Amino acid sequence: MPRIEVISHADATGELKDIYDGLVKSRGQLARVHQIQSLRPKSITAHMDLYMEIMYSRSELSRADRELLGTAVSIANGCHYCTRHHGEALNKYWKDDARLEQFVQGEWETVLDARQLAMAEFAKGLTQNPAAHEDQDFTDTLRVHGLSDAAILDAVLVTAYFNFVNRMVLSLGIELEEDGGKGYRY
């Protein structure tokens, strides 16, 4: 149950209603992670602009790579909501429920290739111990697996974005939608 007031789609008016309607039109339904920001409608728009830039803009990282990073961060943070949502998005590429479940359960070395594992471990490390990255260059591991500086930047942006969203979800009591997060257009 949300820990702050949330304006429902049915009760939304003006700018908030327009934002909600646009999200339903573009995404297929309204996510609770957006509704939690209903008291600050402009933050929903800024949030979506940031999400679209980081997750959908041109990048050397594939969409699957970015969903893998986001899911890895969410697993590391214990954010069931984002693990479920972005695990579903990742599985649009993997098309393997058993593999996804092994990934979510932490069997990374079993289901990820060396490049994917390096990215997931990088995201996990940056999530769990960001200060360590100040004194040690963990980007070398990514370079060994062929990531350019631009791809490394994108990996850091995805990691930082998901840490932002995970903290919003965890601190404000956002629960998974009744349909389990299925039905979104990714």
Side-chain angles (χ1 to χ4, degrees):
M1 172 164 284
R3 297 181 181 132
I4 63 172
E5 176 188 354
V6 174
I7 301 168
S8 71
H9 195 178
D11 293 333
T13 59
E15 180 183 29
L16 180 60
K17 183 175 181 350
D18 292 344
I19 291 168
Y20 278 178
D21 290 347
L23 285 169
V24 169
K25 183 178 179 183
S26 67
R27 309 272 308 181
Q29 61 190 46
L30 184 59
R32 289 184 175 159
V33 73
H34 298 122
Q35 289 178 308
I36 201 73
Q37 298 174 81
S38 63
L39 300 177
R40 300 276 312 259
K42 287 184 182 0
S43 76
I44 301 169
T45 303
H47 178 168
M48 282 307 297
D49 288 347
L50 180 63
Y51 172 75
M52 294 303 291
E53 172 59 28
I54 289 171
M55 296 300 288
Y56 286 90
S57 66
R58 174 174 272 138
S59 173
E60 293 172 39
L61 298 182
S62 69
R63 284 278 304 122
D65 290 339
R66 290 180 267 187
E67 292 296 350
L68 174 105
L69 286 162
T71 305
V73 168
S74 300
I75 292 166
N77 279 323
C79 183
H80 177 71
Y81 180 93
C82 292
T83 296
R84 182 68 177 267
H85 273 275
H86 291 279
E88 290 287 331
L90 176 59
N91 208 28
K92 300 277 186 203
Y93 302 98
W94 283 2
K95 299 178 182 0
D96 186 337
D97 293 339
R99 181 181 181 199
L100 178 63
E101 184 58 28
Q102 286 179 288
F103 179 54
V104 169
Q105 294 304 316
E107 299 174 33
W108 294 9
E109 293 168 354
T110 305
V111 297
L112 302 178
D113 64 30
R115 180 179 177 274
Q116 292 169 330
L117 183 59
M119 289 190 301
E121 291 290 346
F122 177 84
K124 179 182 176 183
L126 184 54
T127 295
Q128 293 179 331
N129 191 359
H133 288 250
E134 186 172 28
D135 297 326
Q136 185 175 347
D137 185 357
F138 292 96
T139 63
D140 287 340
T141 303
L142 298 177
R143 282 190 185 84
V144 166
H145 292 284
L147 274 72
S148 69
D149 286 351
I152 291 168
L153 173 61
D154 288 344
V156 170
L157 289 170
V158 171
T159 300
Y161 169 78
F162 275 89
N163 275 291
F164 156 69
V165 175
N166 288 176
R167 279 146 181 78
M168 194 168 42
V169 168
L170 294 167
S171 67
L172 296 177
I174 300 172
E175 297 174 341
L176 199 58
E177 292 81 6
E178 286 79 20
D179 69 355
K182 296 180 186 254
Y184 286 96
R185 290 187 209 115
Y186 292 102

